[in-house]
Amino acid sequence: MWRKYSALFVLFTLILEVFGNQDKYVYNRDEDVSSDTTTARTTTDRSLAEISIEKFAKSSDAFNKTLLEHPVNETKTGAHIYYNSTITFDSAIAGQYWVHIDNNSDVIVNELLSNAHRRAVTVTLSFDFPFYGHLIRNVTVSTGGFLFMGQYIHLWLAATQYIAPLMANFDTSVSNDSFIKYLDNGTAFTVVWDQVRLQDSPHAGSFTFQTTLFKNGDIVFVYKNIPIPVEDISDISHPVKVGLSDAYRKSHSIFCKYC
């Protein structure tokens, strides 16, 4: 029997779990690539073993507004078949889980994903990651704020089999300051959507958040900057989702003597 894994959602600012519509999220076939592009490597700390605390700017207007409107020490826990989930609004806890991948010399800033809309790159992990009881090696990183965990790449990556810290209509070509970065240290894989903007609402502000997949099956979402309430993000052109999804795939053959 598979053990229960944990999914931890930690937040610097308020974010709500929202499940948008199920419209098809179409990727052009020539935009699904099997190799990643390395453009930048930083220096110093090479390990994710010790997660350092992000010095969040508590003096910022957005943070102060959130503190006034919402409690930041609230924690909610839920149990499901494969995962136990915990959501916390405590900024101190969130800071402990924020991974500083920019301080690692092996961080990859992907050129393709950092200047595109509805594109994806498949990355091969250095370890087997258990996802809903299945060991996964290939993870597809998308511009749309989610990871596709399925084995077969298709045109509807956002429909199911995803890990979505914040799935939305992000377009990294809107701003020169938008980047998608990732780092694999052998026991954890972290992806950061850094200062990404919504294609249909670029003036709403930039979003910065990350997810980390641990070798033991744990998943952590951390949100550093969410400029508008998630429920205000339009899902007309793109689904808006936060969470995990799996799917069954069944293969069968049909024999027809008189076809």
Side-chain angles (χ1 to χ4, degrees), residues 2-254:
W2 290 92
R3 62 178 285 266
K4 279 193 176 181
Y5 306 105
S6 64
L8 177 63
F9 307 84
V10 287
L11 305 93
F12 283 102
T13 55
L14 181 69
I15 185 170
L16 300 177
E17 187 169 351
V18 175
F19 295 92
N21 61 40
Q22 298 297 320
D23 292 344
K24 295 176 181 177
Y25 187 90
V26 180
Y27 279 81
N28 293 337
R29 290 187 184 276
D30 61 355
E31 292 180 344
D32 298 323
V33 297
S34 59
S35 61
D36 48 14
T37 304
T38 304
T39 62
R41 295 182 180 273
T42 57
T43 57
T44 67
D45 183 16
R46 298 178 60 87
S47 174
L48 290 181
E50 296 183 3
I51 301 177
S52 55
I53 297 178
E54 173 72 55
K55 300 298 183 181
F56 187 75
K58 294 186 178 181
S59 59
S60 69
D61 293 339
F63 184 80
N64 288 333
K65 183 174 184 293
T66 302
L67 283 176
L68 292 174
E69 295 179 353
H70 308 283
V72 295
N73 58 353
E74 180 182 0
T75 299
K76 298 180 180 180
T77 301
H80 306 279
I81 295 177
Y82 280 94
Y83 292 93
N84 291 320
S85 62
T86 300
I87 303 175
T88 179
F89 298 93
D90 191 323
S91 60
I93 295 176
Q96 295 174 12
Y97 280 94
W98 181 266
V99 180
H100 293 267
I101 72 170
D102 287 334
N103 296 329
N104 192 296
S105 60
D106 292 330
V107 62
I108 294 175
V109 181
N110 190 281
E111 275 188 342
L112 175 67
L113 298 180
S114 297
N115 188 29
H117 177 239
R118 293 196 179 191
R119 301 195 74 164
V121 166
T122 299
V123 179
T124 300
L125 303 180
S126 64
F127 56 91
D128 290 327
F129 176 73
F131 182 64
Y132 281 98
H134 302 282
L135 296 179
I136 304 296
R137 267 299 174 106
N138 293 326
V139 174
T140 300
V141 182
S142 77
T143 56
F146 67 95
L147 308 179
F148 175 70
M149 307 300 290
Q151 182 179 358
Y152 301 98
I153 302 297
H154 51 75
L155 302 181
W156 302 275
L157 298 188
T160 189
Q161 291 183 290
Y162 56 75
I163 294 176
L166 179 53
M167 183 189 295
N169 195 26
F170 295 117
D171 185 348
T172 56
S173 66
V174 170
S175 171
N176 292 330
D177 297 324
S178 298
F179 299 97
I180 294 181
K181 313 171 184 178
Y182 43 84
L183 176 66
D184 184 335
N185 79 332
T187 60
F189 177 65
T190 298
V191 181
V192 180
W193 288 264
D194 188 6
Q195 300 187 69
V196 296
R197 291 178 180 266
L198 298 167
Q199 186 187 62
D200 38 14
S201 303
H203 301 297
S206 62
F207 295 72
T208 298
F209 54 93
Q210 71 176 212
T211 184
T212 298
L213 314 183
F214 291 93
K215 186 176 181 178
N216 66 357
D218 291 346
I219 302 169
V220 175
F221 295 168
V222 189
Y223 305 86
K224 184 177 181 181
N225 186 42
I226 306 297
I228 62 174
V230 174
E231 62 265 31
D232 291 347
I233 299 176
S234 172
D235 62 357
I236 295 176
S237 302
H238 190 296
V240 178
K241 306 176 186 179
V242 175
L244 315 177
S245 174
D246 193 19
Y248 291 99
R249 179 179 181 273
K250 183 178 181 180
S251 298
H252 66 277
S253 60
I254 299 175

